[in-house]
Amino acid sequence: MDQSVAIINELIRSRRSIFPPSYVEKEIPREVVEAIVANANYAPTHRLTEPWRFTIFRGDGLGRLAHFMAETYKEQTAPEAFTMAKYEGLRSKVLQSSCVIAINMQLHAGKVPEWEELAAVSCAVENMWLTATAYGVGAYWSSPGNVEALGDFLGLEPPQQKCVGLFYMGYHNAPEKPAIRKPIEEKLTWVEE
Ligand SMILES: Cc1cc2nc3c(=O)[nH]c(=O)nc-3n(C[C@H](O)[C@H](O)[C@H](O)COP(=O)(O)O)c2cc1C
């Protein structure tokens, strides 16, 4: 038991946001992606609505997503604000990744409020992030500006279905980074008597 506490402490504290420029050209095997999303399914969920949904882009699928991300930036940006560097950056972020998972929510109107669904989806993402860390896979949750258009691209049906971000993943060569956090003591109120 003591050993598993040490393992979970290490895993939680060493999980970092690892960004595509640090990703290396090495494919994450499909079985590893499956193991990562499998753990998402064990997130807590009020009234067992299990609101997490994922669209997984790998292989040639990444090219389609890269094109969409760059083109929607072009469509949604005034010509004077448009830069080719940003356009290329959006494409290459996807193409540098071995896998990108669209994080989607299936809402259950009248059953649980939306914030509870988002909380459950966030727990699912943390499970994926920790599992990725354990496999040596770098990952980060991105909230792109085109998230509404992304929902259309993914074939989601609003208002019951929503995309809440992209989860970029890749093996990486990023150096170990310490977590930047203020002490927990500043965030606690103890009531003991
Ligand atoms: C819901 C959510 C959305 C995020 N969106 C972005 C994003 O759009 N761009 C980004 O650079 N990081 C994003 N992040 C990652 C945070 O920047 C990162 O978690 C934070 O800097 C702490 O670093 P750490 O994850 O390495 O501990 C997001 C994180 C969360 C939880």
Side-chain angles (χ1 to χ4, degrees), residues 15-17 19 129 140-144 177 179 181:
R15 181 214 52 80
R16 289 280 72 75
S17 292
F19 301 99
W129 213 330
Y140 98 103
W141 184 341
S142 163
S143 351
K177 290 189 282 185
R181 298 290 190 276

Side-chain angles (χ1 to χ4, degrees), residues 43-80:
T45 156
H46 191 197
R47 302 190 70 187
L48 295 178
T49 60
E50 303 177 48
W52 45 86
R53 300 287 184 275
F54 303 110
T55 309
I56 302 168
F57 293 89
R58 293 177 75 242
D60 290 344
L62 289 167
R64 294 179 48 204
L65 178 64
H67 179 76
F68 171 80
M69 295 301 285
E71 284 297 312
T72 47
Y73 161 66
K74 194 173 178 182
E75 280 162 25
Q76 295 177 353
T77 308
E80 60 277 15

Side-chain angles (χ1 to χ4, degrees), residues 1-15 126-127 130-131 133-134:
M1 189 64 185
D2 282 353
Q3 196 191 13
S4 60
V5 169
I7 289 170
I8 198 164
N9 283 349
E10 168 63 18
L11 190 58
I12 289 173
R13 293 170 198 200
S14 64
R15 181 214 52 80
E126 177 73 348
N127 281 2
L130 293 173
T131 310
T133 305

Side-chain angles (χ1 to χ4, degrees), residues 18-36 58 95-99 131-140 168-174:
I18 309 287
F19 301 99
S22 301
Y23 297 169
V24 296
E25 267 188 52
K26 179 179 166 194
E27 187 172 277
I28 305 170
R30 189 182 158 116
E31 304 77 69
V32 172
V33 176
E34 284 170 351
I36 289 169
R58 293 177 75 242
L95 297 176
Q96 284 165 347
S97 306
S98 175
C99 180
T131 310
T133 305
Y135 275 100
V137 169
Y140 98 103
Y168 290 83
M169 297 196 293
Y171 290 112
H172 65 95
N173 58 15

Side-chain angles (χ1 to χ4, degrees), residues 150-180:
L150 200 48
D152 291 344
F153 172 70
L154 296 165
L156 304 185
E157 292 174 9
Q160 288 302 98
Q161 297 179 332
K162 277 188 184 178
C163 177
V164 293
L166 293 175
F167 193 67
Y168 290 83
M169 297 196 293
Y171 290 112
H172 65 95
N173 58 15
E176 263 186 43
K177 290 189 282 185
I180 302 169

